[in-house]
Amino acid sequence: MAEIKAVGVIGAGQMGSGIAHVFAMAGYDVVLTDVKAEALQKAVELIGKNIDRQVAKGRTTEAEKAEALSRIKTTTSLADLGQCDLVIEAATEKEAVKVAIFNDLLPHLKPETILTTNTSSISITRLASGTDRPEKFMGLHFMNPVPVMQLVELIRGIATDDDTYQTLVAVVARLGKTSATAEDFPAFIVNRVLIPMINEAVYVLFEGVGTVESIDASMKLGANHPMGPLELADFIGLDTCLAIMNVLHEGLADTKYRPCPLLTKYVEAGWLGRKTKRGFYDYRGEKPVPTR
């Protein structure tokens, strides 16, 4: 198996910062990149705050925090990822954006570098086919929030070789997480089940079967879910939920995956959930208030 020492992470948003966090804590050298220097600064600050929570709970120490933060380097240049052994793309869930990033990145990579994407739904085989290393390309899908969630989906493209797969199995184990292998079909395992459930909850709201509060209370108290589906949608981001439903609808050509018109309307309004302060709940006050 390939030896992984230096890891590049593309995208300093919620997922990218979380991925950088867990790799640094596991002893890897991390190069975190984003097009915005401000995003990189916020990401490092967020990582520090999240490790502070782990220190407060006795899960790590101040010394280990300092060591982890010292392993994270930031840059706005993709070329600085050139010597990394593993690169994880964690940019927005838009295929054209990911393809453009890979095209800019590839000239700088070592031939042996493993290239992965944190996509939650897009075809790994199709993304890999546009690179110079489809045999060293895989889906490495972390769950949100990355430092807390234990699962990582491993998705092989049709050309992914066994050495690449076994290397990433070992990497996930070193992170202290559990890997689940998924076939390369739209949305893989977790989102193939989860996002249609959320979409159906939006249909229940759209059709007037229940209110935001009653739908979430029903699933929390009646199905023992830790979060209601509409609350969870706001946490994930309604734009992300819609993007995954569109991938399912287009990729599987089945009308049961048709995005709810109300979900589309919220996204068109820019009400994307927690990150914009409004979604199925309004987060601008002291406590979340349903918007319908």
Side-chain angles (χ1 to χ4, degrees):
M1 294 188 298
E3 184 178 11
I4 306 298
K5 293 182 178 179
V7 178
V9 180
I10 302 171
Q14 194 172 30
M15 294 304 295
S17 63
I19 292 168
H21 172 159
V22 297
F23 271 91
M25 288 296 293
Y28 292 97
D29 293 325
V30 177
V31 182
L32 177 62
T33 184
D34 197 283
V35 292
K36 297 179 181 177
E38 180 185 351
L40 292 167
Q41 182 179 347
K42 288 182 178 178
V44 172
E45 290 172 359
L46 178 61
I47 292 168
K49 289 177 182 176
N50 286 338
I51 299 177
D52 283 339
R53 289 196 185 99
Q54 294 175 314
V55 172
K57 293 177 181 177
R59 295 175 182 170
T60 191
T61 65
E62 286 288 352
E64 288 169 334
K65 172 192 171 183
E67 286 180 18
L69 290 176
S70 73
R71 295 187 191 107
I72 301 174
K73 310 300 180 188
T74 62
T75 179
T76 56
S77 173
L78 284 174
D80 291 337
L81 274 60
Q83 294 306 304
C84 291
D85 307 303
L86 167 66
V87 173
I88 305 163
E89 174 273 317
T92 186
E93 190 68 356
K94 294 180 180 177
E95 187 166 348
V97 173
K98 296 179 185 297
V99 169
I101 288 171
F102 294 141
N103 287 340
D104 289 345
L105 173 68
L106 288 170
H108 307 290
L109 295 183
K110 299 184 295 183
E112 62 270 24
T113 297
I114 294 174
L115 186 56
T116 68
T117 174
N118 185 56
T119 181
S120 55
S121 61
I122 299 169
S123 168
I124 301 304
T125 297
R126 190 166 64 241
L127 288 173
S129 69
T131 74
D132 61 356
R133 62 196 68 211
E135 72 287 348
K136 293 186 179 298
F137 191 103
M138 270 191 66
L140 189 63
H141 180 215
F142 289 83
M143 306 297 127
N144 186 30
V146 180
V148 175
M149 301 297 280
Q150 289 301 302
L151 183 73
V152 181
E153 283 184 314
L154 296 180
I155 308 99
R156 298 175 74 153
I158 196 170
T160 306
D161 64 28
D162 197 56
D163 183 72
T164 298
Y165 171 73
Q166 294 298 339
T167 297
L168 290 182
V169 168
V171 166
V172 172
R174 180 171 162 184
L175 296 178
K177 297 187 182 295
T178 300
S179 58
T181 302
E183 292 298 318
D184 185 22
F185 288 97
F188 319 130
I189 296 173
V190 173
N191 284 325
R192 174 76 176 267
V193 176
L194 177 64
I195 302 300
M197 183 199 75
I198 288 173
N199 192 56
E200 192 63 27
V202 183
Y203 266 115
V204 170
L205 178 65
F206 179 58
E207 294 168 5
V209 179
T211 64
V212 169
E213 287 182 306
S214 64
I215 292 165
D216 279 350
S218 294
M219 294 308 292
K220 284 191 283 188
L221 303 178
N224 205 29
H225 290 193
M227 296 173 71
L230 301 177
E231 180 186 6
L232 180 57
D234 277 355
F235 180 75
I236 294 169
L238 304 192
D239 53 338
T240 300
C241 293
L242 179 60
I244 295 170
M245 282 307 301
N246 281 326
V247 167
L248 282 166
H249 192 219
E250 294 163 9
L252 298 173
D254 192 324
T255 56
K256 73 179 181 179
Y257 297 115
R258 183 171 67 96
C260 180
L262 184 61
L263 177 60
T264 301
K265 190 170 291 293
Y266 268 73
V267 173
E268 288 174 344
W271 292 17
L272 308 182
R274 287 181 176 270
K275 61 188 174 185
T276 59
K277 304 296 183 184
R278 278 192 291 187
F280 292 113
Y281 293 86
D282 189 325
Y283 300 92
R284 294 174 297 174
E286 289 186 11
K287 65 177 183 177
V289 177
T291 55
R292 288 181 78 86

